[in-house]
Amino acid sequence: MNQDNRPVVAITMGDASGIGPEIITKALARADVQAMCRPLVIGDAARLREADAITRTGLAVHAVATPAEARYAPGTVECIDLGLIPAGHPFGQLSATSGEAAYRYIERATRLVEAGEADAICTAPLSKEALHMAGHKYPGHTELLAHLTGTPEVSMMLVAPKLRVIHVTTHVGLIDAIRRIEPGLVERVIARGHATLVKSGMADPRIGVCAINPHAGENGLFGQGEEEEKIIPAIKACQAKGWRVEGPLPADTLFFRAARGDFDLVVAMYHDQGHGPVKVMGLEAGVNITVGLPVIRTSVDHGTAFDIAGKGIADEGSLVEALKQAVDLAPRRERAAA
């Protein structure tokens, strides 16, 4: 038997009412994607066939019950078919049906990786509102995956051209975020980011840590001493380990310096502090990585785009980048190809 060393990447279909099915068919029609991994969609075969007709990619959809049945033939999409989306289900509309299905896709993909039947997860976008309509009260993929894997704490890392950002807090309001930030949390987030870069082959990553206040508080002129209380002790603890960690630095200058190559990773204190610069650098090429899980998970860095869903015009670039990151991070295993 021939050896096929390409990792198996479980691609969850996301919200079936959004652009997920379309960007999946567009991405999997690309020869470079097929060459770098064995893509296994966790979703609905009938919905993928609808998306293929919309995008005119000309792919055959092969519905399977288990990964062992997948053939990974050229021009074919392999799909673990959960059969949760009814015929004629509308695109572009919030739906509890789509929310429930999105949850089930993630759940199945997680179990496949845990069982060693897939090597990484790459997620198409879901709708938080639809997820909540279906009774799954999670702020997003990151928290849902943490729950499914029994992981007490994870971090969101965004990767764009010339920029990597890891977040201390994510899906909470700004006032709540500032309350939650404390030295132990900041130190753990820096450590997760450091470990991820070291595993990727970067021996001594340069890490810049954002301040909370403008001008990093400017010696007490702005704020209530948050930098001294919440951030500096964590930075000193990391520096004591011999890591190249600098800060707290004003976010506006830190992101400029990181984009020109001074830092390998920026530690953002709250959601918009990190997301804004990444999306300016290139929304269509951004990738979301959940750091700290026992499974590899990457994602597109955009939403469901209900306004253009079903029109065949969604750009697959972010999904392709997310698949590349999943391949880079996935454990290498020798697998026999049938």
Side-chain angles (χ1 to χ4, degrees):
M1 287 190 290
N2 295 324
Q3 294 291 322
D4 189 342
N5 297 327
R6 293 173 300 160
V8 175
V9 180
I11 306 170
T12 57
M13 202 173 75
D15 191 297
S17 302
I19 61 172
E22 295 165 72
I23 61 173
I24 287 172
T25 57
K26 284 186 172 183
L28 299 193
R30 292 174 50 151
D32 57 336
V33 170
Q34 294 288 340
M36 68 184 176
C37 67
R38 285 177 283 174
L40 179 65
V41 180
I42 317 300
D44 273 66
R47 194 59 159 185
L48 286 176
R49 292 187 183 105
E50 279 186 78
D52 178 71
I54 291 167
T55 58
R56 300 179 180 178
T57 45
L59 294 170
V61 178
H62 180 217
V64 298
T66 68
E69 299 172 26
R71 300 186 295 245
Y72 304 108
T76 299
V77 176
E78 301 293 341
C79 177
I80 300 281
D81 185 15
L82 300 194
L84 299 172
I85 303 300
H89 190 65
F91 282 97
Q93 296 179 22
L94 268 175
S95 160
T97 298
S98 293
E100 177 64 28
Y103 176 87
R104 296 300 167 193
Y105 304 151
I106 288 287
E107 183 180 48
R108 177 65 65 86
T110 302
R111 302 306 171 222
L112 290 175
V113 175
E114 289 177 332
E117 295 181 274
D119 299 301
I121 299 170
C122 182
T123 58
L126 54 68
S127 163
K128 297 175 182 66
E129 267 192 90
L131 198 65
H132 292 182
M133 286 172 68
H136 303 292
K137 305 295 184 180
Y138 300 97
H141 270 122
T142 302
E143 296 83 1
L144 172 53
L145 282 157
H147 168 75
L148 289 171
T149 58
T151 306
E153 190 175 271
V154 296
S155 298
M156 177 187 292
M157 181 185 289
L158 301 182
V159 179
K162 300 182 180 180
L163 190 61
R164 299 181 192 86
V165 183
I166 193 168
H167 293 70
V168 174
T169 65
T170 49
H171 296 123
V172 293
L174 182 55
I175 293 172
D176 291 333
I178 293 170
R179 287 196 189 109
R180 289 190 188 188
I181 297 166
E182 52 86 20
L185 175 59
V186 175
E187 184 180 348
R188 292 192 299 275
V189 171
I190 295 171
R192 278 192 282 272
H194 184 273
T196 299
L197 296 187
V198 169
K199 286 178 184 175
S200 74
M202 197 176 295
D204 192 16
R206 300 159 301 165
I207 300 174
V209 182
C210 287
I212 294 172
N213 293 300
H215 303 282
E218 203 158 303
N219 298 315
L221 185 61
F222 305 116
Q224 306 295 322
E226 288 86 358
E227 281 73 27
E228 291 77 7
E229 175 193 346
K230 296 171 176 287
I231 302 174
I232 289 175
I235 291 173
K236 288 181 176 177
C238 292
Q239 290 170 339
K241 300 173 187 177
W243 298 351
R244 298 169 69 186
V245 180
E246 187 178 337
L249 298 169
D252 50 359
T253 54
L254 173 50
F255 279 106
F256 170 76
R257 290 180 60 193
R260 76 180 184 189
D262 291 358
F263 295 98
D264 302 303
L265 178 67
V266 172
V267 180
M269 290 296 127
Y270 51 90
H271 185 282
D272 286 11
Q273 188 181 57
H275 278 61
V278 168
K279 294 191 176 183
V280 168
M281 294 294 288
L283 178 63
E284 61 286 333
V287 177
N288 182 332
I289 303 171
T290 307
V291 178
L293 291 171
V295 300
I296 300 300
R297 179 261 174 165
T298 67
S299 178
V300 296
D301 187 31
H302 59 70
T304 52
F306 285 151
D307 57 324
I308 62 169
K311 298 179 181 179
I313 60 175
D315 189 290
E316 77 277 15
S318 183
L319 180 61
V320 172
E321 291 299 319
L323 286 165
K324 289 178 182 176
Q325 291 285 340
V327 169
D328 287 344
L329 294 169
R332 295 293 179 262
R333 297 178 184 171
E334 294 293 321
R335 291 170 178 267

